[in-house]
Amino acid sequence: MSARNAAGWAVGLWAVMMAAPAAGQEAETEAAAPIYELRTYTTVPGRLPALHKRFREHTVKLFEKHGMENVMYWTPADKEETLIYLLKHDSRDAAEKSWTAFRNDPDWQKARMESEQDGKIVDKVERVWLNTTDYSPKK
């Protein structure tokens, strides 16, 4: 191998090494990326209006108070008694801390108790954690 080829090869190898993440750096990047939480609530029949009222008057504000970003709320066009919503968190760990603070908040406990005076509202809760892809238009 000539000196010129060796120098070119070394420069190429250096460029590849500089572009590749260091060991553990990729995991750090993923851990630093926000995480989304998709939640689906199925209500007791006839109780969806009570759930909407609780979210409208209390829950959305309390989520914000505890560091959860309200992204979007939906009701399926073809499925009654269902609320689906998306929250954004800084990380999975931050999400768990936010949920703990939310559940322990006296304002939440009072709102929940008052809203359930006429009976239980939520029958089933489903949660899905979501990571954005590298080609997602929103991060």
Side-chain angles (χ1 to χ4, degrees):
M1 179 183 298
S2 71
R4 183 182 296 168
N5 287 344
W9 181 83
V11 169
L13 178 61
W14 176 83
V16 168
M17 289 174 58
M18 295 305 293
Q25 184 177 355
E26 191 172 294
E28 286 178 25
T29 303
E30 286 180 15
I35 191 161
Y36 292 85
E37 181 180 5
L38 182 68
R39 293 178 70 98
T40 302
Y41 288 7
T42 304
T43 64
V44 172
R47 299 292 282 153
L48 185 60
L51 183 62
H52 284 311
K53 182 177 189 218
R54 186 165 75 192
F55 267 81
R56 192 178 296 112
E57 296 178 4
H58 304 284
T59 309
V60 171
K61 293 175 208 152
L62 288 167
F63 283 170
E64 290 173 2
K65 175 182 175 183
H66 294 291
M68 296 182 246
E69 183 179 328
N70 295 286
V71 177
M72 188 70 69
Y73 290 81
W74 302 271
T75 53
D78 60 350
K79 191 174 181 184
E80 295 181 21
E81 312 300 347
T82 303
L83 173 66
I84 300 171
Y85 64 96
L86 186 67
L87 298 173
K88 181 179 178 184
H89 306 277
D90 290 338
S91 66
R92 183 89 173 255
D93 185 53
E96 295 301 340
K97 288 177 183 173
S98 292
W99 276 109
T100 298
F102 171 80
R103 282 189 295 271
N104 293 324
D105 189 312
D107 291 334
W108 161 244
Q109 293 170 357
K110 180 181 177 192
R112 181 178 182 184
M113 185 180 69
E114 289 175 357
S115 67
E116 292 183 344
Q117 285 181 343
D118 295 332
K120 184 178 170 182
I121 293 176
V122 177
D123 186 43
K124 181 180 176 187
V125 176
E126 297 173 68
R127 171 198 271 182
V128 178
W129 294 106
L130 304 166
N131 295 309
T132 54
T133 60
D134 62 346
Y135 52 85
S136 179
K138 295 197 182 233
K139 301 280 184 210

